[in-house]
Amino acid sequence: MAFYSVFANFAPEMKILVTGASGFIGSFIVEEALQKGMEVWAAVRASSSRQWLQDRRIHFIELDFRSQARLEEQLGNHRFDYVVHAAGVTKCLDKQDFFRTNTEGTKNLVRALMAVQMPLKRFVYLSSLSVFGAIREQQPYEAIRESDTPQPNTAYGQSKLQAEQFLDSLNTADSSFPYVILRPTGVYGPREKDYYLMAKSIKAHSDFAVGFRRQDITFVYVRDVVQAVFLALDHGQTGRKYFLSDGQVYQSSTFSDLIRRELGSPWWIRITAPVWLLRVVTFCGEHIGRLTGNISALNNDKYHILRQRNWRCDIQPAVDELGYHPQYQLPEGVKETISWYKQQGWL
């Protein structure tokens, strides 16, 4: 399969900073930047695993997103051409941690870049389709569009939207910051751990779904997100926001069916629970997590995500303006992902 490397070209001397580099999506962005011959700087915490960052060409930098002043010190002696801000949190015990990390951390980073007069060609911010929440929920469902009004129904989505709004506030008649925002739907692929739990459950002979009303779901393979990142770095228009999916719409059971097939079709019990039961489970999970200090996968944000029925989104602007063309449909992506889980001994 021909991948996205052909779409965007970068001079070898170009320097790129990737935040969240040790994470699922960030580590793939680092790999692609190395493939393009760029000088790659990976922003990681001292405690972060570097399991997927073993290439000796990678330069490491620790950044403290809690403090603009500290970031200015850490960035002041560097000159980056591109920054991809993939750092963020998707699960927190304390709701305010979403805003401290996803919103305030982004503000501190951007303000520091501006304060040290970083000569950026482009800054790509990885946001999420979750900034829109449960809209266009009346059947037949219609794709969420950029012109729709965001109504995030999770703390995660709210924190991402506030970061987007901050970036939008930077473009005035007197100044401009060269940012592009990407809003992927559910991202899956090798190294991803949330969808992995679904595969693990299916291997153990059970599958769980929520709600009896039709649910339209969208997905995007991690390598296609990376494709969009480098297209946006190359020629994204300042201030633009692009949805990312594989261009298809699936039913809620499709992902599970494909995983089961790649696992050799083990016997299973598929449980479809009413939404009210999910509310009880996630309420308990939220409070148990706070008591134990362990973040539960079944929390209040997860409740709103699972009960949402419409995850359609319009990727045509990304196709027309960026030249984005998804290389993976769900069957191919799931096949590659499950194969990787098996090779790593996860399944």
Side-chain angles (χ1 to χ4, degrees), residues 306-323:
L306 289 175
R307 75 187 295 267
Q308 188 167 322
R309 300 289 96 181
N310 178 30
W311 290 94
R312 291 172 174 255
C313 58
D314 179 17
I315 68 168
Q316 198 58 46
V319 172
D320 293 341
E321 298 176 21
L322 295 181

Side-chain angles (χ1 to χ4, degrees), residues 222-259:
V222 62
R223 295 188 186 276
D224 282 326
V225 174
V226 177
Q227 173 200 155
V229 166
F230 282 88
L231 290 168
L233 288 173
D234 185 54
H235 55 269
Q237 300 178 37
T238 293
R240 294 292 288 119
K241 306 174 181 69
Y242 301 101
F243 295 114
L244 302 177
S245 77
D246 67 7
Q248 303 298 316
V249 178
Y250 304 94
Q251 298 307 299
S252 56
S253 61
T254 308
F255 197 66
S256 297
D257 291 339
L258 289 170
I259 290 174

Side-chain angles (χ1 to χ4, degrees), residues 65-96:
F65 296 110
R66 297 170 299 178
S67 166
Q68 178 185 336
R70 181 67 179 132
L71 284 167
E72 289 178 25
E73 293 175 3
Q74 293 167 325
L75 294 169
N77 293 325
H78 295 276
R79 285 297 176 263
F80 296 110
D81 300 286
Y82 304 100
V83 172
V84 180
H85 188 35
V89 292
T90 58
K91 294 187 287 290
C92 294
L93 287 173
D94 182 351
K95 176 180 176 180
Q96 292 306 311

Side-chain angles (χ1 to χ4, degrees), residues 130 132-139 141 151-154 208-217 252 272-280 282-283 297-312:
S130 292
F132 280 86
I135 67 172
R136 296 184 179 271
E137 291 271 279
Q138 298 300 315
Q139 296 188 48
Y141 304 133
Q151 300 175 38
N153 53 4
T154 62
F208 180 78
V210 175
F212 300 100
R213 188 159 61 95
R214 173 185 171 126
Q215 185 179 46
D216 285 359
I217 301 181
S252 56
T272 302
V275 171
W276 66 262
L277 180 60
L278 174 67
R279 175 71 281 184
V280 173
T282 55
F283 178 83
L298 292 173
N299 50 45
N300 287 334
D301 265 18
K302 195 67 171 180
Y303 165 73
H304 292 291
I305 290 170
L306 289 175
R307 75 187 295 267
Q308 188 167 322
R309 300 289 96 181
N310 178 30
W311 290 94
R312 291 172 174 255

Side-chain angles (χ1 to χ4, degrees), residues 188-215:
Y188 71 102
R191 307 174 192 166
E192 200 281 331
K193 295 182 179 179
D194 286 344
Y195 289 122
Y196 158 69
L197 294 178
M198 181 186 295
K200 186 177 179 181
S201 176
I202 292 171
K203 185 179 180 181
H205 311 295
S206 64
D207 183 40
F208 180 78
V210 175
F212 300 100
R213 188 159 61 95
R214 173 185 171 126
Q215 185 179 46

